Every structure is written in C-alpha cells, then in structure tokens.
Amino acid sequence: MSSVVEEAQFWQAVGILVKNYHALNKKIFEVVVTQVEKQQDGQLHDSSEEELTKSLREQPDQRTCQGFKIGYKLLPKKLAENILATGTVDFVERSYQCQCASDAIDDFSVRLLEGQLKLEAKDNPNWLEYVLRPKLLSWSQSKQEEARLKSLSLIDVEKYNDLYKGLKRKHSQRLLEYWQTAQESTDPLKFIYEDLAIAAYLIVLWSQTQTEPKAFADLGCGNGLLVHVLNAEGYKGYGYDIRKRKIWSLYPEDTKQSLVEQAVEPNSSSLDFPDVDWLIGNHSDELSPWLPVLASRLKANFFLLPCCPYELSGAKFRRRNTKISAYQDFFHYVTHVTKECGFEILQDRLKIPSTKRLALIGIKGNTAQDSRDLEYFVQEELRKYKTGDHEIKLREKEENVRNCTQVDRSIIDGLVLKIFNLLLAADEDKWLGRLPMRQIAQTLNKEELSGIKSECGGIKTLLRNKHEVFEFCGGDLIGIRKPKPIAFLPSRLTTKKRSCFFKMHHPLGCPLADSECSFIH
C-alpha cells in the first residue's frame, strides 16, 4: 500500500475517522457526534454532520469555511461514564486533532505534509505507527462506495450502550454458572454476550417505538437465554423450541414455565400464542421466512435475525440473485415476504459477535393485510418453489450429529496422533512442520478413513475440531499449533479438564509452564 497521500484522500480518511474512532480503540464501543460548528471569518457558527461531510469531499477552492469543531461522546465498553471529546478539522493547516476530557483516552493529531501523514500523540507511539497510520492509509485509498447500513441506526446508541453494560454486570456471571453446570459445549461468552446485546436492543427499540409487548414469543429459542433475560427485566414472554436444552432446568421457575418444548408448525391453523404481540426469530433457521407470515396472522410485530437460509417450504434457500452474497440474497427474500405481509419494514445492523447481524423488523401497518391475500401468497410460494405435497419440512426432534464428534474415540485419537507424527517428521524444528491436506489424506489407509468418511467435512472437520493441536496455515497447508499462554477468566468457572496433548506426545514436551497452559500437565 502506497504511503503517499493526496489531499482529497487525506480528507476522505479524516471523514471516516470522525465517526469511526471506535475502530481504532478497543475501549470504545461507539462514537456519538453531539455538536458541529464551522469556522468562518474567524467565528464559529452552528453547522451539521451533513455539511461537515460535504465539505470534506469538496475541492479546496469550493470550500466556504476554514474548518470545523466537532463535539463527541465516546461511549466506552466498560467505564461507567461516557467520555467527552473535541475534534478540530483545519482545512488551512490540513490537520485533524482529537482532544479527550479523560486520561483514559490519548489525545492525538494527524497532519498532511508534502504527501505524508504526520502523527503526534503525548504517549503510545506504537498505537500511532501500528494502529492509526495503517488504518488512515487504508481509509485514504478505499473506494467511495454506497454507504452500507449503519450499525444501531434505529435506536439511541447511548441508551443502548448503558443498558448493555448494565445487563452484563447484572446477568453475565450467573449465566456463566448456568453454562458450566449444564456442561454446554458451545462458547458461553459468544452466546451470552450476543443474547444480552439482543435483549438490550429490543428493550430500547420497544421503548423508542412505544411498542412494548404485552407478551413476546421467541420461536426457535434454543438455550432460552434471551427469554430468561427479557423475563428477568420485566417483560412477559415465552420460548418455543422443538428440543429442550439441559440449561432450561437451571433457570428460575418463572423462566422454566415460559419455555415450551414444542414444534412450531407454521402452516397450521391451530397456532396459539396467548397475548403475544411480538414474535422474535433469533437465528431461527427454517422458521425465519415464516416470522412475517406468523406475525401477520397474529396481528403482531416481529424482530428477525435471519441466519441459515431456508424457503417457506423448509427446503434450503435457492438463490435469486447471484450478483450479491448468498446472505444478502436471502435477506432480500425475507424482506419481500415481509412486504407481502403488509408490514412497515425497518432494517438495522446489530453489534453482536456474529457474521449474521442484519435485523429485519416488521411493525404493524395502519391497514391490516387481507388474510385471503396473505394465504394466497403463501400457497403460491409453496407451489412456486416446491414440487409434490406442501407439508413444511421441519427438522427432526432428535437431530443426527455429523461433525466427527460422535465417531469412536479410539479412531479419532489414532488418526490425530498419526497426523501429528507426520507433521513432526516434516521439519527438524519439531514445531514448523507443514503438509498439504492432500498429502496427509494420501498417507491414511481406507480402514483409518472409514470411521469418518460419512461425517460432514471428513478429515478437514477432524482437524478443525482438534484446533488446540493443528492449525490451517493458508491454502491447504496444515501445521502444528504451538501453544501460547492464555489469560484465564478470573473466575472459578475456568477449570482444566483435559490432559495436555503436547505434554504427552511432543518430543520436546509442552513449551508452557503448568500455570500458563489451559490443559492438565
């Protein structure tokens, strides 16, 4: 990437920096612009974000002011109080300065001088060179594309951040304990923080749109965590899932009574959700395209985070537009269904630890959708994209697991050790051995592969599941993952459960001390 920056590129980078400081500092959740003033004829005059953005994009001879002063609130992820800051755009000096009213965040300045970025800060020179400079260079040379949907665009971000931090303080420790006791195999931090973020979003959204539910129903609620948090925050609701989870039994009694082990048959005329006026689909798989239909039938609002793409028939989603991503294509499909159901459509992008975070929100319109038109549309969709009978194909109550976790342990251990020894022999260093996936597969005989040949992904899935031993090194190369010290959770919930593979099998042993390794020495 070229380090020479033209003036137009410099102001483009500054324009991105003004609203995206949180991309440079992990302590910051979001930036809120509170005031914009332009400097003209030696005086400051009230202005707007739109005028600032326009001026940053204009040619120098077209500008009518000397610069801008910008007031910010930096919303921290952990600190209780928001941080006030001031940004100064100076077109004459071709510079931008950021000054914070807190020692927790460093002041800094950026200036363009003879095509080079000149960065200054009181402390933290490494941050300037290895975080700020690369980001500015990247932003300066990025293509001007149509702006994508801004995150959390429908709600008050400051209220959301305050509520989210409060929910984490209030619930996260207890939820981690539930996870530990239930021996859930999924990552607790990912699911807990994601559902706490969704709960905070819904609470703020309901308040701002004045649509607080009489009762909600989370369809395909899975572990029931979102239902539990919303119930604990005073919102009546239910969770429905085809399979009960172990963690359900650990929730308080009011949450237990709200979780229902029941298949939702979306094309049934006997659906009964008492008092429900909000439906929630949080990565609800086959039910995702049915959320707008069910909500329309119930005359309810809905919130949907589409994930795995399915048709109304329950079959895998068939692409309509290959010029966009499969996820965008499916999102457009569900949006089309929502329009046909007569909703006012809102869209947003959530800040959650998931790649599928586009939210579709349907608010009941003033004119009710004619039920005959709706049912005609549904049946036409079923006929259009499905042959044979029109029964919805939902997943079975007991789902077959095909990810190498159900293969006999002796087969797995034998394959892992053989592949590990192949990699050891590939390099004298004993840690740098790399082999192509094809070469590894060719060294295994039919008997060794027969135990996993029917598993999803086969040998690749096996290697991914043993991520503490193997790593994918680009292309199809597989290598040994050298252990690194980890920071344990400061909680009794973190315990060592398995023996250290490297302590047992590596000729040099484990390079970590017992206190640094997450496995038993």
Side-chain angles (χ1 to χ4, degrees), residues 5 16 20 35 52 76 108 125 127 148 161 170 176 206 217 251 256 260 262 268 272 279 300 336 358 384 409 457 509:
V5 179
I16 298 173
N20 292 274
Q35 185 179 25
L52 169 62
F108 68 93
W127 178 79
R148 69 174 187 172
N161 187 49
K170 185 176 179 180
L176 278 168
W206 290 337
Y251 290 132
K256 289 180 188 177
V260 183
Q262 174 185 317
S268 168
D272 181 24
L279 293 185
H336 167 67
L358 289 180
K384 191 175 179 181
R409 177 54 55 189

Side-chain angles (χ1 to χ4, degrees), residues 163-180:
L163 178 57
Y164 178 47
K165 289 189 292 186
L167 292 180
K168 284 196 292 185
R169 288 193 297 268
K170 185 176 179 180
H171 296 290
S172 59
Q173 184 65 25
R174 177 61 60 84
L175 293 174
L176 278 168
E177 291 174 0
Y178 290 157
W179 224 270
Q180 175 85 3

Side-chain angles (χ1 to χ4, degrees), residues 148-152 194 198 201 282-283 303-307 327 331 347-360:
R148 69 174 187 172
L149 184 64
K150 187 178 184 298
S151 296
L152 306 177
E194 180 172 314
I198 294 171
Y201 183 90
N282 176 15
H283 296 163
F303 168 89
L304 174 64
L305 275 176
C307 183
Y327 179 54
F331 193 83
Q347 296 180 7
D348 209 345
R349 183 186 298 273
L350 271 58
K351 284 196 170 186
I352 56 176
S354 171
T355 57
K356 307 296 190 295
R357 53 182 179 267
L358 289 180
L360 186 64

Side-chain angles (χ1 to χ4, degrees), residues 454-471:
S454 63
E455 296 295 309
C456 294
I459 191 69
K460 180 179 285 190
T461 299
L462 170 65
L463 296 173
R464 290 194 186 279
N465 286 346
K466 298 298 291 185
H467 57 84
E468 72 272 21
V469 179
F470 304 110
E471 65 178 346

Side-chain angles (χ1 to χ4, degrees), residues 15 69 117 124 128 150 182 241 285 290 372 384 401 470:
K69 184 177 180 181
L117 296 177
N124 210 348
L128 288 178
K150 187 178 184 298
D241 203 284
D285 297 342
W290 281 98
R372 292 171 297 179
K384 191 175 179 181
V401 179
F470 304 110

